[in-house]
Amino acid sequence: MKKKPAFIFDGHLDLAMNAIEWNRDLMRPVCEIRERENGMTDKPDRGKGTVSLPELRNGNIGLVVATQIARFSKEFKGSLGSNWSSPEIAWSITQAQLAWYRTMEEYGEMTQICNLEQLENHLGLWFDNDIANNKKPVGYILSLEGADSLINISYLERAYKNGLRACGPAHYGPGVYASGTSSSGGLTHLGRELLQEMDNLDMILDVTHLTDEGFLEATRLFKGPIWASHSNCRSLVNHQRQLSDENIKILLERDSVIGGVLVSWMLDQNFVRGVDDPKKKGINMEKIIDHYDHICQLAGDSLHIAIGTDLDGGFGKEESPCDLETISDIQELQNLLAARGYSTVDIDNILFNNWLRFLRKAWG
């Protein structure tokens, strides 16, 4: 029997990047966004997006970690996302993204969550079944994915005053504060200063995208709460971007939470980006449960896994699980987890409770 829609907390969405760089009106249904992009070729995922604010509400996804993201690297020439020419330009892009979130707040589409009181009030609204979802703003916790846009350390406090509550020092390539995916090396001198200031501000460290060297150094130096907002298991898909078992065990010792990613190349070792079709490869949402299972076996419980879809994070349906048309379809994870033997308590942990437990501890 199909279960009733569950409340879902998605730990990683690049909403403002899609609005500002992809020029997507996320207040519209996904079908309208796709129709508008029909025939466009400037991005590989044009006409294939899966995320919008109406689709979040349709999927009962009432709370998300939403990013600001603008990379700067003198060296990195990779094609994934924009690599801006200076930290000053990158900072300006993040401020345009912040302005979009503020505009969504003005329209009642979203509401920023910065502390425990706001979190509990927002949950009270979303768990009130007498209020229709289309009357509820999507709550968002602001996170900076890659710190290159911070012109200097003082900009972190400015960002914090604007509601920034989590930060990942690295993204792709060698960065100002740390090396990230597709590069080598660890934290820079500025990166170590960044972690100290994040500790001073009681922020959350996101270790996603750090190299192994950077991960080990960051988890050793940083004293505060740590999560991996969107990471899968290297033992199942052998890529630097994924978490090794050693990394996972360190996160378990820190009582961290790991958000599972729904991008095909991180779900299946045999998927080749830009070449393969998820449907032909049989890559569906059940693949993420293999990664959940692995972490649960290492942990001995279901308290450290969650959802961090990264949907529309520079890709669309061409790299999403074949049984996912829009983000609202992640509701099906509830049934897939039950079919794999997860209890109701386990399922609630994964869909929302683990992120909430983490935040209540971090902000309490």
Side-chain angles (χ1 to χ4, degrees):
M1 182 176 68
K2 191 175 181 65
K3 296 180 181 294
K4 68 178 182 180
F7 181 77
I8 292 178
F9 184 152
D10 190 336
H12 188 86
L13 287 175
D14 298 314
L15 297 177
M17 182 191 79
N18 276 270
I20 299 300
E21 291 189 54
W22 269 248
N23 193 21
R24 286 173 169 164
D25 181 0
L26 299 184
M27 293 191 292
R28 311 307 305 163
V30 161
C31 61
E32 290 186 19
I33 297 172
R34 289 178 182 169
E35 184 178 358
R36 183 183 184 277
E37 294 181 356
N38 186 37
M40 297 173 67
T41 58
D42 60 316
K43 307 280 188 182
D45 59 331
R46 284 299 189 193
K48 303 169 188 173
T50 65
V51 178
S52 74
L53 292 165
E55 290 301 333
L56 289 173
R57 293 189 183 91
N58 287 344
N60 214 33
I61 307 162
L63 187 57
V64 304
V65 177
T67 68
Q68 294 169 287
I69 178 171
R71 188 173 59 240
F72 162 71
S73 174
K74 291 180 180 179
E75 303 173 49
F76 189 62
K77 305 298 182 183
S79 61
L80 184 67
S82 300
N83 188 42
W84 303 99
S85 299
S86 73
E88 291 79 10
I89 297 173
W91 170 260
S92 300
I93 294 297
T94 66
Q95 298 316 287
Q97 294 170 352
L98 178 64
W100 180 79
Y101 287 122
R102 294 287 185 256
T103 303
M104 293 302 98
E105 292 178 57
E106 292 174 11
Y107 275 81
E109 292 280 341
M110 300 183 74
T111 186
Q112 190 176 42
I113 309 298
C114 298
N115 56 51
L116 193 56
E117 181 181 5
Q118 291 173 347
L119 176 66
E120 301 297 355
N121 288 340
H122 184 70
L123 293 172
L125 173 66
W126 269 84
F127 279 89
D128 187 341
N129 294 325
D130 292 331
I131 302 174
N133 279 10
N134 62 8
K135 303 295 183 182
K136 300 173 182 176
V138 174
Y140 76 100
I141 297 158
L142 193 61
S143 179
L144 182 63
E145 185 174 18
D148 296 340
S149 60
L150 299 174
I151 297 171
N152 57 54
I153 297 296
S154 71
Y155 279 73
L156 182 67
E157 186 172 358
R158 293 175 61 174
Y160 182 85
K161 290 178 179 177
N162 286 326
L164 186 71
R165 290 297 178 266
C167 177
H171 189 226
Y172 274 76
V176 175
Y177 295 93
S179 294
T181 302
S182 300
S183 67
S184 59
L187 301 175
T188 66
H189 173 70
L190 287 175
R192 289 185 281 274
E193 289 185 6
L194 176 71
L195 293 190
Q196 180 62 59
E197 186 60 18
M198 287 176 61
D199 260 330
N200 293 339
L201 293 169
D202 294 324
M203 293 182 67
I204 297 163
L205 170 64
D206 189 349
V207 294
T208 305
H209 283 294
L210 285 171
T211 62
D212 285 348
E213 183 180 349
F215 177 97
L216 293 173
E217 188 175 10
T219 53
R220 185 176 71 250
L221 293 175
F222 191 72
K223 307 304 180 186
I226 298 174
W227 66 27
S229 64
H230 56 305
S231 299
N232 290 347
C233 302
R234 192 180 303 177
S235 63
L236 300 182
V237 178
N238 187 17
H239 190 281
Q240 178 210 35
R241 169 71 176 79
Q242 312 273 61
L243 292 171
S244 69
D245 284 0
E246 179 186 5
N247 293 344
I248 293 169
K249 290 174 182 177
I250 291 171
L251 293 176
L252 296 177
E253 291 171 1
R254 295 294 291 265
D255 198 24
S256 302
V257 175
I258 301 164
V261 189
L262 289 176
V263 54
S264 291
W265 73 268
M266 291 179 65
L267 292 171
D268 191 294
Q269 183 73 50
N270 297 317
F271 185 84
V272 179
R273 303 188 73 181
V275 176
D276 289 332
D277 180 341
K279 187 173 183 178
K280 291 180 180 178
K281 286 286 186 178
I283 298 173
N284 53 28
M285 284 188 285
E286 190 167 3
K287 290 281 188 179
I288 193 59
I289 304 175
D290 297 335
H291 292 262
Y292 287 154
D293 282 344
H294 184 74
I295 296 170
C296 286
Q297 290 301 314
L298 292 175
D301 56 45
S302 66
L303 297 175
H304 303 278
I305 53 174
I307 294 172
T309 64
D310 198 19
L311 289 172
D312 291 0
F315 66 96
K317 271 185 59 63
E318 80 286 356
E319 289 188 24
S320 301
C322 61
D323 51 351
L324 186 145
E325 185 65 27
T326 77
I327 193 169
S328 65
D329 292 326
I330 66 173
Q331 270 293 335
E332 184 59 23
L333 287 174
Q334 186 178 196
N335 294 312
L336 295 174
L337 286 162
R340 291 280 285 267
Y342 284 76
S343 70
T344 299
V345 171
D346 293 329
I347 294 169
D348 285 349
N349 284 342
I350 297 166
L351 297 187
F352 64 94
N353 260 337
N354 285 338
W355 286 134
L356 295 182
R357 178 179 52 83
F358 179 98
L359 287 171
R360 285 166 174 151
K361 181 179 178 181
W363 289 350

